[in-house]
């Protein structure tokens, strides 16, 4: 592990005359919500004159100067793909959450996207090209094969994480994992765990870490030597050279954690400046004297797979709360017009960040994904969370513990629980509580927060020669 000062030294001695850096982005994971967290950083860097070469699945919709997209092909994008029927029945040995299978899903995505990216013509061109980069920014998530490409290009590496750091990230960054106070990503725990919770946390952390070491890492090494021949160091040695890790966590949401100084929390970074809402939404908000409740389970969940019994329960709850209008992201194959209650309005897409910050929005029914969660905390909106997979459990635990919302498990997702949960979080006391936390969440070390560029990235890149 190189420490930050050493990294800064390496980086600041670059020979660029105008101080602009050549920045390479390597993002082989096809998850849209991950890239939604990363993109604002790169746009801000381009705006400041740095030259971004971005290898990912997510080209900019409108190209900007100083930012060139190279688009990977060969993996389906992870949008509208999650089938909610998978979460209908949850196996709870001894009544405890058991989330080890999540590892296998991550391992599978990781290896597949790794194979595609490593063998893509884009990476072949990149390695053949004489262009050299001042810094390489990549994602630490379910697989590290892009770190091997970075190793071959011989530039300092900054890692980004769109969620809390994974069990296998602690050691490489030199950060301690302190079991009793640090819940692992897949569990709904907080820094206040019972003895049983701590044991389960211990079991999950070490099981998943061991699986990563005995399954993912050797498989990644095999893919790398298949592509580049033998001779590269093992991938778990290469990743230890990561200079800095910027993560989508913030202590005002998930509590303070003892990271080494090379791991920096930037949670909520993607929350950009407020934009005006489209007129049809403003009209709808005007027609909602008591306010609206916004429902979204993120970009990955396929809303068509919500089992019809649960959908009817949701609709029943919505019709019980007549005084509110409900807005929902629902990308349906068939129209719901005949079934849905009169006060439910569905849209293919909604401008979530701007909607959540509108004063008419009284509550957010969410899956606890980090983008929506941080946007809701930024805007001060109480949440009713139904976590489905991955870090959504961890986020929901934090939301409940900090008084930002209530949890309704998918197994309890019925009109009774939804209506009761909503009545609780719609209480004024509750909104006041969240808004107090909003202030803490918005308080950042520099006034840059409304400008989406991270102060840390800025400091690194403007470090004097
Ligand atoms: C691109 O970078 C140049 C400096 O290299 C800078 O002057 C310019 O403002 C940047 N363009 C945009 C659109 O951000
Ligand atoms: C910026 O990066 C692009 C894509 O890698 C490259 O084609 C271009 O020459 C670079 N521009 C400068 C000024 O370095
Ligand atoms: C890590 O970085 C150091 C310093 O740049 C280099 O000497 C070493 O070979 C690198 N190790 C790996 C495994 O990449």
């Amino acid at each position: 592990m190189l420490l930050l000062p050493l990294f800064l030294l390496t980086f600041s001695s670059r020979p660029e005359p105008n101080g602009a850096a050549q920045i390479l982005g390597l993002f082989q994971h096809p998850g849209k919500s991950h890239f939604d967290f990363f993109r604002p950083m790169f746009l801000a860097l381009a705006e400041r004159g740095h030259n971004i070469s971005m290898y990912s699945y997510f080209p900019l919709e409108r190209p900007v100067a100083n930012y060139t997209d190279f688009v990977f092909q060969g993996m389906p994008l992870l949008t509208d793909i999650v089938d909610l029927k998978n979460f209908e029945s949850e196996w709870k040995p001894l009544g405890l959450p058991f989330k080890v299978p999540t590892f296998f899903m991550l391992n599978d995505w990781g290896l597949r996207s790794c194979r595609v990216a490593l063998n893509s013509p884009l990476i072949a061109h990149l390695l053949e090209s004489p262009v050299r980069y001042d810094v390489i920014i990549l994602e630490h998530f379910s697989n590290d094969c892009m770190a091997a490409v970075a190793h071959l290009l011989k530039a300092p590496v900054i890692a980004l994480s769109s969620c809390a750091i994974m069990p296998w990230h602690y050691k490489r960054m030199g950060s301690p994992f302190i079991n009793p106070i640090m819940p692992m990503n897949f569990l709904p725990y907080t820094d206040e765990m019972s003895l049983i919770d701590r044991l389960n946390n211990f079991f999950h952390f070490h099981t998943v870490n061991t699986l990563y070491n005995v399954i993912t890492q050797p498989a990644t090494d095999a893919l790398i030597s298949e592509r580049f021949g033998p001779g590269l160091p093992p991938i778990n040695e290469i990743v230890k050279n990561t200079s800095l890790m910027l993560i989508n966590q913030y202590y005002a949401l998930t509590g303070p954690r003892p990271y080494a100084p090379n791991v920096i929390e930037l949670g909520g970074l993607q929350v950009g400046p407020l934009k005006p809402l489209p007129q049809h939404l403003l009209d709808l908000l005007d027609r909602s004297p008591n306010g609206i409740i916004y429902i979204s389970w993120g970009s990955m969940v396929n809303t068509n797979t919500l089992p019809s019994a649960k959908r009817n329960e949701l609709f029943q709850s919505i019709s019980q709360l007549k005084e509110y209008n409900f807005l929902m992201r629902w990308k349906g194959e068939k129209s719901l017009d005949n079934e849905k209650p009169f006060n439910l309005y569905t849209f293919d897409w909604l401008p979530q960040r701007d909607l959540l910050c509108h004063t008419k929005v009284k509550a957010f029914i969410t899956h606890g994904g980090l983008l929506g969660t941080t946007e809701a905390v930024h805007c001060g909106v109480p949440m009713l969370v139904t976590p489905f997979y991955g870090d959504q459990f961890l986020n929901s635990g934090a939301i409940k513990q900090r008084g930002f919302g209530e949890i309704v498990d998918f197994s309890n997702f019925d009109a009774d629980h939804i209506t009761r949960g909503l009545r609780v979080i719609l209480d004024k006391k509750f909104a006041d509580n969240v808004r107090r936390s909003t202030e803490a969440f918005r308080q950042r070390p520099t006034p840059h927060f409304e400008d989406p560029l991270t102060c840390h990235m800025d400091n690194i890149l403007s470090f004097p020669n």
Side-chain angles (χ1 to χ4, degrees):
M1 179 192 69
L2 280 179
L3 282 177
L4 184 58
L6 186 53
F7 161 69
L8 289 173
L9 210 64
T10 325
F11 188 67
S12 60
S13 62
R14 66 178 184 270
E16 287 291 327
N18 61 356
Q22 295 292 343
I23 300 177
L24 172 65
L26 291 176
F27 294 90
Q28 95 279 14
H29 177 68
K32 177 179 180 300
S33 55
H34 292 217
F35 206 76
D36 285 345
F37 176 67
F38 307 144
R39 188 184 297 105
M41 261 184 264
F42 290 100
L43 286 174
L45 289 167
E47 206 171 288
R48 279 155 208 236
H50 302 296
N51 192 30
I52 312 292
S53 306
M54 175 56 72
Y55 289 69
S56 78
Y57 282 91
F58 302 96
L60 297 179
E61 272 169 30
R62 267 162 298 153
V64 300
N66 309 333
Y67 187 121
T68 312
D69 273 310
F70 299 87
V71 187
F72 287 129
Q73 308 273 325
M75 284 288 288
L77 301 187
L78 299 177
T79 46
D80 301 306
I81 53 130
V82 170
D83 187 336
L84 290 177
K85 291 186 194 73
N86 295 338
F87 311 111
E88 276 239 84
S89 59
E90 195 194 347
W91 185 52
K92 280 191 151 183
L94 307 171
L96 295 173
F98 176 70
K99 302 294 174 194
V100 174
T102 306
F103 164 80
F104 293 96
M105 178 181 82
L106 293 180
N107 175 63
D108 178 55
W109 283 349
L111 290 174
R112 269 193 294 154
S113 59
C114 177
R115 183 187 296 277
V116 169
L118 274 184
N119 295 297
S120 68
L122 290 181
I123 292 294
H125 282 143
L126 176 67
L127 289 167
E128 280 158 17
S129 147
V131 177
R132 283 296 162 257
Y133 297 91
D134 296 305
V135 64
I136 298 176
I137 305 182
L138 44 72
E139 177 174 13
H140 276 183
F141 181 52
S142 57
N143 194 288
D144 293 311
C145 64
M146 285 301 113
V149 176
H151 175 83
L152 291 168
L153 291 168
K154 295 191 174 57
V157 172
I158 297 179
L160 309 181
S161 172
S162 68
C163 53
I165 67 178
M166 294 285 182
W168 49 89
H169 294 155
Y170 288 88
K171 192 172 169 196
R172 72 175 59 160
M173 299 311 293
S175 272
F177 176 75
I178 303 173
N179 183 71
I181 54 163
M182 294 164 78
M184 74 84 74
N185 296 39
F186 311 155
L187 296 172
Y189 298 155
T190 66
D191 55 5
E192 297 169 303
M193 284 179 259
S194 69
L195 179 62
I196 301 290
D197 294 347
R198 291 176 190 196
L199 289 171
N200 199 27
N201 195 42
F202 183 89
F203 166 78
H204 273 78
F205 183 89
H206 292 286
T207 306
V208 165
N209 216 5
T210 305
L211 289 171
Y212 193 81
N213 289 332
V214 303
I215 298 178
T216 311
Q217 287 190 343
T220 308
D221 282 330
L223 285 175
I224 291 168
S225 61
E226 213 174 274
R227 172 66 178 80
F228 301 120
L232 260 69
I235 192 70
N236 59 352
E237 287 303 315
I238 292 178
V239 289
K240 287 185 189 160
N241 265 2
T242 307
S243 304
L244 177 69
M245 189 168 182
L246 306 175
I247 67 175
N248 189 5
Q249 291 283 287
Y250 202 63
Y251 55 82
L253 172 60
T254 30
R257 290 190 175 202
Y259 303 111
N262 55 357
V263 176
I264 295 173
E265 294 195 323
L266 300 178
L269 170 88
Q270 85 287 354
V271 186
L274 193 64
K275 292 190 293 298
L277 287 170
Q279 194 57 45
H280 70 279
L281 289 181
L282 289 173
D283 293 344
L284 184 54
L285 290 160
D286 277 346
R287 281 185 276 121
S288 314
N290 298 311
I292 67 144
I293 293 171
Y294 167 53
I295 312 176
S296 172
W297 289 318
S299 57
M300 277 180 66
V301 163
N302 177 352
T303 37
N304 291 299
T305 61
L306 179 64
S308 59
K310 289 199 154 60
R311 191 179 67 198
N312 293 340
E313 293 286 337
L314 175 66
F315 286 180
Q316 198 184 325
S317 171
I318 291 174
S319 39
Q320 284 165 2
L321 289 149
K322 287 187 200 49
E323 62 276 36
Y324 298 99
N325 281 328
F326 287 72
L327 266 59
M328 183 172 189
R329 193 190 90 91
W330 186 290
K331 208 166 166 195
E333 280 140 21
K334 62 182 174 78
S335 159
L336 290 173
D337 287 347
N338 298 328
E339 302 158 56
K340 68 182 186 194
F342 76 93
N343 55 339
L344 171 64
Y345 299 82
T346 57
F347 301 84
D348 266 12
W349 180 84
L350 283 159
Q352 173 163 291
R353 180 258 183 273
D354 305 318
L355 187 61
L356 280 171
C357 272
H358 195 284
T359 50
K360 280 276 170 78
V361 176
K362 302 298 177 199
F364 178 24
I365 299 183
T366 170
H367 64 316
L370 258 187
L371 297 186
T373 301
T374 50
E375 284 157 8
V377 177
H378 178 88
C379 299
V381 181
M383 287 166 268
L384 191 71
V385 200
T386 303
F388 298 116
Y389 55 88
D391 66 339
Q392 292 159 14
F393 296 97
L394 181 75
N395 306 337
S396 66
I399 289 167
K400 171 134 175 78
Q401 184 203 29
R402 308 234 138 204
F404 298 160
E406 286 287 320
I407 301 174
V408 173
D409 284 330
F410 199 46
S411 52
N412 293 332
F413 196 78
D414 56 36
D416 187 33
H417 282 89
I418 302 168
T419 305
R420 232 180 325 141
L422 283 174
R423 294 249 186 250
V424 170
I425 67 170
L426 285 164
D427 189 278
K428 178 168 178 306
K429 273 199 309 233
F430 215 91
D432 290 345
N433 190 16
V434 190
R435 292 212 189 98
R436 249 199 321 278
S437 305
T438 297
E439 263 174 59
F441 191 74
R442 289 191 187 198
Q443 229 157 60
R444 302 289 161 145
T446 71
H448 273 321
F449 185 50
E450 288 298 331
D451 160 355
L453 178 69
T454 121
C455 54
H456 303 285
M457 199 75 125
D458 202 22
N459 289 343
I460 289 163
L461 292 172
S462 60
F463 200 79
N465 278 331

